[in-house]
Amino acid sequence: MVVIAFVESAFNHGYQEEDFFELLETGPLKLRSRRGLKGVYELFGRNYVGEDLHVAYRRERDREVVFHIRAMTAREKQSYRKNR
């Protein structure tokens, strides 16, 4: 079982934990950090109301920590639709 933790910064753009779990259920595109950060991953997908979301999280020893949830940029949407 994977433990998911959220830090306060994850909610800076108005999204909630539910949006993250909905994104997981809709089959997101998962990439390693585009900035080359070790242990950091990015998810691109949609919540149930169809909002295109970008999530960043890091893997720690015993959990995964979500630190960023926001709407995708136009460029990210284009790439997501092309690669899914």
Side-chain angles (χ1 to χ4, degrees):
M1 182 171 143
V2 176
V3 174
I4 307 292
F6 294 85
V7 295
E8 184 119 3
S9 65
F11 310 115
N12 285 350
H13 297 281
Y15 295 100
Q16 302 299 319
E17 291 179 20
E18 295 82 22
D19 295 299
F20 170 77
F21 291 111
E22 290 174 7
L23 177 133
L24 289 182
E25 290 181 13
T26 61
L29 174 65
K30 179 181 175 182
L31 303 172
R32 291 182 191 259
S33 168
R34 293 176 290 169
R35 295 181 180 195
L37 301 172
K38 186 177 178 181
V40 174
Y41 297 88
E42 296 179 72
L43 300 175
F44 297 90
R46 291 188 172 149
N47 60 11
Y48 290 160
V49 295
E51 296 171 304
D52 294 315
L53 300 178
H54 171 261
V55 172
Y57 71 95
R58 69 179 169 269
R59 285 196 173 154
E60 293 182 352
R61 203 175 289 158
D62 59 344
R63 64 187 183 161
E64 295 183 348
V65 179
V66 177
F67 60 89
H68 184 77
I69 305 172
R70 65 162 170 78
M72 280 189 225
T73 65
R75 182 173 282 176
E76 289 168 340
K77 285 180 192 179
Q78 185 179 33
S79 178
Y80 168 68
R81 291 182 179 137
K82 186 178 184 181
N83 291 303
R84 54 172 203 170

